[in-house]
Protein backbone atom coordinates (compact mmCIF):
# COMPACT_ATOMS: atom_id res chain seq x y z
CA UNK A 1 0.00 0.00 0.00
CA UNK A 2 2.77 2.40 1.00
CA UNK A 3 4.73 1.72 -2.19
CA UNK A 4 1.59 2.32 -4.29
CA UNK A 5 0.88 5.61 -2.52
CA UNK A 6 4.51 6.64 -2.95
CA UNK A 7 4.34 5.81 -6.65
CA UNK A 8 1.21 7.92 -7.03
CA UNK A 9 2.90 10.85 -5.30
CA UNK A 10 5.92 10.53 -7.58
CA UNK A 11 3.70 10.41 -10.66
CA UNK A 12 1.74 13.44 -9.50
CA UNK A 13 4.95 15.33 -8.75
CA UNK A 14 6.20 14.44 -12.21
CA UNK A 15 3.22 15.77 -14.13
CA UNK A 16 3.06 18.86 -11.93
CA UNK A 17 6.71 19.53 -12.74
CA UNK A 18 6.11 18.95 -16.43
CA UNK A 19 3.17 21.34 -16.51
CA UNK A 20 5.02 23.91 -14.44
CA UNK A 21 8.13 23.90 -16.61
CA UNK A 22 6.02 24.14 -19.76
CA UNK A 23 4.08 27.05 -18.28
CA UNK A 24 7.33 28.78 -17.31
CA UNK A 25 8.75 28.44 -20.81
CA UNK A 26 5.46 29.53 -22.36
CA UNK A 27 5.26 32.58 -20.10
CA UNK A 28 8.22 34.02 -22.01
CA UNK A 29 5.80 34.56 -24.92
CA UNK A 30 3.80 36.88 -22.69
CA UNK A 31 6.95 38.76 -21.66
CA UNK A 32 7.92 39.20 -25.31
CA UNK A 33 4.37 40.22 -26.25
CA UNK A 34 4.38 42.93 -23.59
CA UNK A 35 7.64 44.32 -24.95
CA UNK A 36 6.47 44.13 -28.56
CA UNK A 37 3.03 45.62 -28.03
CA UNK A 38 3.73 48.30 -25.41
CA UNK A 39 7.19 49.46 -26.50
CA UNK A 40 8.32 50.84 -29.83
CA UNK A 41 11.35 48.67 -30.47
CA UNK A 42 13.40 49.36 -33.63
CA UNK A 43 13.20 46.77 -36.38
CA UNK A 44 16.93 46.02 -36.23
CA UNK A 45 16.68 45.29 -32.51
CA UNK A 46 13.79 42.88 -33.13
CA UNK A 47 15.80 41.22 -35.90
CA UNK A 48 18.69 40.80 -33.48
CA UNK A 49 16.68 39.11 -30.74
CA UNK A 50 14.95 36.89 -33.29
CA UNK A 51 18.31 35.83 -34.71
CA UNK A 52 19.52 34.99 -31.19
CA UNK A 53 16.37 32.95 -30.52
CA UNK A 54 16.75 31.10 -33.82
CA UNK A 55 20.34 30.22 -32.95
CA UNK A 56 19.27 28.93 -29.54
CA UNK A 57 16.60 26.66 -31.01
CA UNK A 58 18.87 25.35 -33.77
CA UNK A 59 21.43 24.32 -31.16
CA UNK A 60 18.85 22.74 -28.85
CA UNK A 61 17.36 20.70 -31.69
CA UNK A 62 20.79 19.47 -32.82
CA UNK A 63 22.43 18.72 -29.47
CA UNK A 64 19.40 17.81 -27.36
CA UNK A 65 16.53 16.44 -29.44
CA UNK A 66 18.21 14.79 -32.41
CA UNK A 67 21.19 13.60 -30.37
CA UNK A 68 18.91 11.94 -27.83
CA UNK A 69 16.66 10.40 -30.46
CA UNK A 70 19.70 9.01 -32.29
CA UNK A 71 21.11 7.56 -29.06
CA UNK A 72 17.80 5.81 -28.35
CA UNK A 73 16.84 4.53 -31.79
CA UNK A 74 19.59 5.23 -34.32
CA UNK A 75 19.90 7.40 -37.41
CA UNK A 76 17.07 6.19 -39.63
CA UNK A 77 14.23 6.42 -37.08
CA UNK A 78 15.55 9.85 -36.11
CA UNK A 79 15.68 11.00 -39.73
CA UNK A 80 12.22 9.63 -40.50
CA UNK A 81 10.77 11.25 -37.39
CA UNK A 82 12.35 14.58 -38.29
CA UNK A 83 11.01 14.50 -41.84
CA UNK A 84 7.55 13.51 -40.58
CA UNK A 85 7.57 16.37 -38.08
CA UNK A 86 8.66 18.91 -40.68
CA UNK A 87 6.04 17.64 -43.16
CA UNK A 88 3.26 17.71 -40.56
CA UNK A 89 4.18 21.22 -39.44
CA UNK A 90 4.46 22.46 -43.02
CA UNK A 91 1.10 21.01 -44.01
CA UNK A 92 -0.69 22.64 -41.07
CA UNK A 93 1.22 25.87 -41.66
CA UNK A 94 0.16 26.00 -45.32
CA UNK A 95 -3.50 25.72 -44.32
CA UNK A 96 -3.16 28.47 -41.72
CA UNK A 97 -1.13 30.70 -44.06
CA UNK A 98 -4.02 30.71 -46.54
CA UNK A 99 -6.27 32.04 -43.78
CA UNK A 100 -4.07 34.93 -42.72
CA UNK A 101 -1.40 33.47 -40.42
CA UNK A 102 1.49 33.49 -42.90
CA UNK A 103 3.31 36.41 -41.25
CA UNK A 104 2.38 35.73 -37.63
CA UNK A 105 5.94 36.28 -36.39
CA UNK A 106 6.63 39.40 -38.41
CA UNK A 107 6.92 42.68 -36.54
CA UNK A 108 6.05 45.01 -39.42
CA UNK A 109 2.81 45.58 -41.28
CA UNK A 110 2.71 42.20 -43.06
CA UNK A 111 -0.04 40.74 -40.86
CA UNK A 112 -3.57 41.31 -42.19
CA UNK A 113 -6.22 42.92 -40.03
CA UNK A 114 -9.59 41.23 -39.50
CA UNK A 115 -11.19 43.64 -41.96
CA UNK A 116 -8.59 42.78 -44.59
CA UNK A 117 -8.97 39.02 -44.14
CA UNK A 118 -11.91 37.60 -42.25
CA UNK A 119 -10.88 34.89 -39.79
CA UNK A 120 -7.22 35.87 -39.71
CA UNK A 121 -7.43 36.42 -35.94
CA UNK A 122 -8.34 32.79 -35.36
CA UNK A 123 -5.69 31.66 -37.84
CA UNK A 124 -3.06 33.67 -35.96
CA UNK A 125 -4.10 32.06 -32.69
CA UNK A 126 -3.96 28.55 -34.16
CA UNK A 127 -0.62 29.34 -35.77
CA UNK A 128 0.81 30.46 -32.43
CA UNK A 129 -0.42 27.21 -30.90
CA UNK A 130 1.09 25.19 -33.75
CA UNK A 131 4.47 26.85 -33.16
CA UNK A 132 4.44 26.21 -29.41
CA UNK A 133 3.14 22.65 -29.08
CA UNK A 134 6.24 20.70 -30.26
CA UNK A 135 8.52 22.72 -27.97
CA UNK A 136 6.27 22.13 -24.97
CA UNK A 137 5.87 18.40 -25.57
CA UNK A 138 9.63 17.81 -25.53
CA UNK A 139 9.88 19.64 -22.19
CA UNK A 140 7.48 17.09 -20.74
CA UNK A 141 9.19 14.09 -22.33
CA UNK A 142 12.58 15.25 -21.05
CA UNK A 143 11.35 14.38 -17.54
CA UNK A 144 10.72 10.76 -18.46
CA UNK A 145 14.32 9.58 -18.47
CA UNK A 146 15.82 10.46 -15.12
CA UNK A 147 13.05 12.36 -13.41
CA UNK A 148 14.64 15.79 -13.88
CA UNK A 149 13.79 18.25 -16.59
CA UNK A 150 16.27 19.11 -19.34
CA UNK A 151 17.47 22.56 -18.30
CA UNK A 152 18.79 23.13 -21.80
CA UNK A 153 15.43 22.43 -23.41
CA UNK A 154 13.54 24.71 -21.02
CA UNK A 155 16.14 27.48 -21.35
CA UNK A 156 16.18 27.19 -25.14
CA UNK A 157 12.39 27.38 -25.41
CA UNK A 158 12.24 30.27 -22.94
CA UNK A 159 14.98 32.26 -24.68
CA UNK A 160 13.41 31.72 -28.10
CA UNK A 161 9.87 32.48 -26.92
CA UNK A 162 10.72 36.04 -25.90
CA UNK A 163 11.59 37.21 -29.44
CA UNK A 164 8.74 35.16 -30.93
CA UNK A 165 6.19 36.90 -28.71
CA UNK A 166 7.89 40.26 -29.24
CA UNK A 167 7.83 40.16 -33.03
CA UNK A 168 4.32 38.70 -33.24
CA UNK A 169 2.82 41.25 -30.86
CA UNK A 170 4.50 44.14 -32.69
CA UNK A 171 2.98 42.88 -35.95
CA UNK A 172 -0.42 42.48 -34.33
CA UNK A 173 -0.26 46.07 -33.12
CA UNK A 174 0.47 47.23 -36.67
CA UNK A 175 -2.52 45.20 -37.88
CA UNK A 176 -4.81 46.97 -35.41
CA UNK A 177 -5.35 44.03 -33.03
CA UNK A 178 -6.62 45.10 -29.63
CA UNK A 179 -4.63 44.85 -26.42
CA UNK A 180 -7.20 42.38 -25.07
CA UNK A 181 -6.74 40.14 -28.13
CA UNK A 182 -2.93 40.21 -27.98
CA UNK A 183 -2.54 39.55 -24.27
CA UNK A 184 -5.47 37.15 -24.16
CA UNK A 185 -3.89 35.16 -26.99
CA UNK A 186 -0.44 34.90 -25.45
CA UNK A 187 -1.78 34.16 -21.97
CA UNK A 188 -3.82 31.34 -23.48
CA UNK A 189 -0.83 30.00 -25.41
CA UNK A 190 1.30 30.06 -22.23
CA UNK A 191 -1.34 28.01 -20.40
CA UNK A 192 -1.68 25.59 -23.31
CA UNK A 193 2.11 25.23 -23.36
CA UNK A 194 1.91 23.97 -19.78
CA UNK A 195 -0.87 21.56 -20.76
CA UNK A 196 1.12 20.28 -23.76
CA UNK A 197 4.16 19.72 -21.56
CA UNK A 198 2.01 17.84 -19.05
CA UNK A 199 0.60 15.73 -21.88
CA UNK A 200 4.09 14.92 -23.12
CA UNK A 201 4.92 13.53 -19.69
CA UNK A 202 1.62 11.94 -18.73
CA UNK A 203 0.67 10.33 -22.04
CA UNK A 204 4.06 9.17 -23.30
CA UNK A 205 5.49 7.70 -20.12
CA UNK A 206 4.70 4.10 -21.03
CA UNK A 207 5.75 4.07 -24.68
CA UNK A 208 8.81 2.10 -25.82
CA UNK A 209 12.11 3.95 -26.08
CA UNK A 210 12.11 3.70 -29.88
CA UNK A 211 8.66 5.29 -30.10
CA UNK A 212 9.69 8.07 -27.71
CA UNK A 213 12.78 8.67 -29.82
CA UNK A 214 10.61 8.99 -32.92
CA UNK A 215 8.33 11.48 -31.18
CA UNK A 216 11.34 13.49 -30.00
CA UNK A 217 12.72 13.57 -33.55
CA UNK A 218 9.27 14.48 -34.91
CA UNK A 219 9.11 17.45 -32.53
CA UNK A 220 12.64 18.43 -33.53
CA UNK A 221 11.73 18.37 -37.22
CA UNK A 222 8.66 20.53 -36.56
CA UNK A 223 10.75 23.03 -34.60
CA UNK A 224 13.35 23.24 -37.37
CA UNK A 225 10.62 23.87 -39.94
CA UNK A 226 9.14 26.56 -37.69
CA UNK A 227 12.50 28.30 -37.28
CA UNK A 228 13.10 28.34 -41.04
CA UNK A 229 9.57 29.43 -41.92
CA UNK A 230 8.76 32.01 -39.26
CA UNK A 231 11.82 33.09 -37.26
CA UNK A 232 14.59 33.38 -39.85
CA UNK A 233 12.53 35.56 -42.25
CA UNK A 234 11.88 38.04 -39.43
CA UNK A 235 15.53 37.97 -38.34
CA UNK A 236 16.68 38.87 -41.83
CA UNK A 237 13.89 41.31 -42.68
CA UNK A 238 15.94 44.09 -41.12
CA UNK A 239 19.27 42.31 -41.32
CA UNK A 240 22.40 44.17 -40.39
CA UNK A 241 26.04 43.18 -40.40
CA UNK A 242 25.94 41.52 -36.97
CA UNK A 243 22.96 39.19 -37.58
CA UNK A 244 25.14 36.18 -38.38
CA UNK A 245 27.29 36.76 -35.30
CA UNK A 246 24.20 37.11 -33.08
CA UNK A 247 22.75 33.85 -34.44
CA UNK A 248 26.01 32.07 -33.62
CA UNK A 249 25.94 33.62 -30.14
CA UNK A 250 22.50 32.13 -29.57
CA UNK A 251 23.66 28.77 -30.90
CA UNK A 252 26.71 28.74 -28.62
CA UNK A 253 24.66 29.81 -25.60
CA UNK A 254 22.46 26.74 -25.89
CA UNK A 255 25.47 24.55 -26.71
CA UNK A 256 27.28 25.76 -23.57
CA UNK A 257 24.20 24.95 -21.49
CA UNK A 258 24.05 21.44 -22.95
CA UNK A 259 27.72 20.86 -22.17
CA UNK A 260 27.32 22.14 -18.63
CA UNK A 261 24.31 19.89 -18.07
Amino acid sequence: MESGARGNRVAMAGWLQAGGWGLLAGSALLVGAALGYLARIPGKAIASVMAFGAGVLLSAVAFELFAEADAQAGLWPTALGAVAGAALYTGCNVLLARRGARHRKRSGDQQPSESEQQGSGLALALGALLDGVPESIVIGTSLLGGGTVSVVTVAAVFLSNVPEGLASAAGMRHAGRSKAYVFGLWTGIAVLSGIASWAGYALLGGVPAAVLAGITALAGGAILAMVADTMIPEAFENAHLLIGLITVAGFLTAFALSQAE
Side-chain angles (χ1 to χ4, degrees):
M1 292 288 291
E2 287 186 16
S3 61
R6 189 180 303 112
N8 290 335
R9 286 195 297 271
V10 170
M12 180 175 291
W15 66 256
L16 282 174
Q17 282 188 62
W21 284 116
L23 181 62
L24 173 65
S27 67
L29 290 165
L30 197 55
V31 173
L35 292 171
Y37 193 88
L38 300 176
R40 297 297 188 268
I41 301 176
K44 287 188 177 181
I46 294 177
S48 296
V49 294
M50 192 64 89
F52 185 86
V56 166
L57 277 183
L58 289 172
S59 180
V61 168
F63 296 109
E64 289 291 308
L65 305 187
F66 286 165
E68 181 167 342
D70 179 65
Q72 290 179 322
L75 175 60
W76 284 110
T78 300
L80 290 173
V83 171
L88 181 62
Y89 175 89
T90 300
C92 294
N93 192 51
V94 167
L95 294 176
L96 292 171
R98 292 173 178 170
R99 288 161 175 78
R102 178 70 184 92
H103 300 295
R104 59 185 175 274
K105 283 191 171 66
R106 307 302 291 273
S107 60
D109 56 1
Q110 298 96 332
Q111 292 185 24
S113 65
E114 194 68 22
S115 60
E116 291 172 330
Q117 186 165 355
Q118 191 71 22
S120 58
L122 177 60
L124 287 169
L126 293 175
L129 182 61
L130 173 67
D131 296 338
V133 165
E135 301 170 347
S136 301
I137 289 176
V138 295
I139 290 176
T141 58
S142 73
L143 278 159
L144 293 175
T148 58
V149 74
S150 170
V151 176
V152 178
T153 303
V154 173
V157 174
F158 188 95
L159 290 172
S160 63
N161 275 347
V162 173
E164 288 183 45
L166 192 158
S168 293
M172 290 173 187
R173 185 189 67 224
H174 280 292
R177 306 281 175 191
S178 69
K179 187 183 297 185
Y181 171 86
V182 172
F183 289 101
L185 169 63
W186 292 116
T187 299
I189 296 301
V191 172
L192 289 171
S193 295
I195 294 173
S197 185
W198 164 83
Y201 177 85
L203 303 181
L204 300 176
V207 303
V211 175
L212 186 60
I215 292 171
T216 300
L218 186 145
I223 293 170
L224 273 183
M226 183 271 290
V227 170
D229 189 80
T230 65
M231 295 184 72
I232 290 177
E234 172 62 26
F236 289 93
E237 173 72 16
N238 294 293
H240 51 80
L241 295 178
L242 297 180
I243 284 292
L245 184 61
I246 293 170
T247 304
V248 172
F251 186 94
L252 290 176
T253 297
F255 177 69
L257 287 172
S258 70
Q259 295 300 103
E261 190 179 40

